[in-house]
Amino acid sequence: MTDGEFLRALEGCELPESEFGHAAHVRAAYLYLQAGDFVEALQRIRRAIRNYARHLGKPDRYHETITVAYLALIQQHIFERGNGGGWIAFAQANPELLQPGLLRQFYPEAQLASEIARRVFVLPCSTPARSDAPHRGIPPIA
């Protein structure tokens, strides 16, 4: 499936659910970033994922923090390493982005599982993978 066909199938809610796993989410984000700036890409991927989830009868599946954080990581990789000249080469050059648990390097599991993280973008409150890392983000509200 070409990139254009993929996005049309996603946006038209015609993509089989089995074909919209983590790598496909990353592909959509990459393609949206290639077509516009970060704000435009975020608007498009938000709309596409929310509509798709609603179409599947699973509107609660959309997660704002995961969407924004992955989009930012993908944009950072594009800036630092280049766009690869296309999705396949980019994916091959950036396999860490295809790991569903990547955000656990930045966010504690409990924070990602929180309702606030699902509804609005939240900064990481700590870095669970390294106890010696400096504190990031704002502390959770007590």
Side-chain angles (χ1 to χ4, degrees):
M1 182 180 306
T2 68
D3 293 338
E5 291 168 340
F6 169 74
L7 287 180
R8 279 190 296 281
L10 171 61
E11 292 168 354
C13 299
E14 297 167 358
L15 193 66
E17 186 175 4
S18 62
E19 293 182 28
F20 197 52
H22 177 71
H25 282 73
V26 174
R27 181 182 183 187
Y30 167 85
L31 294 173
Y32 288 138
L33 284 165
Q34 294 309 290
D37 65 20
F38 186 85
V39 173
E40 293 165 339
L42 181 56
Q43 290 171 341
R44 290 185 71 189
I45 196 155
R46 261 189 195 133
R47 183 172 43 251
I49 294 174
R50 283 178 173 156
N51 288 342
Y52 187 75
R54 259 192 303 276
H55 173 76
L56 295 175
K58 302 174 181 181
D60 59 327
R61 297 283 304 270
Y62 179 78
H63 195 296
E64 179 73 358
T65 298
I66 290 174
T67 301
V68 176
Y70 263 104
L71 191 69
L73 284 170
I74 294 162
Q75 183 182 48
Q76 180 179 341
H77 278 67
I78 291 168
F79 180 78
E80 292 175 351
R81 302 178 183 177
N83 70 6
W87 164 245
I88 294 171
F90 179 79
Q92 290 171 342
N94 297 278
E96 63 278 9
L97 293 174
L98 303 179
Q99 298 174 4
L102 178 62
L103 291 184
R104 290 187 189 101
Q105 293 180 23
F106 305 96
Y107 289 87
E109 185 65 37
Q111 187 181 20
L112 281 178
S114 72
E115 185 59 27
I116 190 169
R118 179 171 292 285
R119 295 181 64 193
V120 300
F121 173 71
V122 295
L123 294 170
C125 65
S126 68
T127 306
R130 290 183 36 219
S131 61
D132 64 329
H135 179 75
R136 292 188 192 170
I138 57 175
I141 299 172

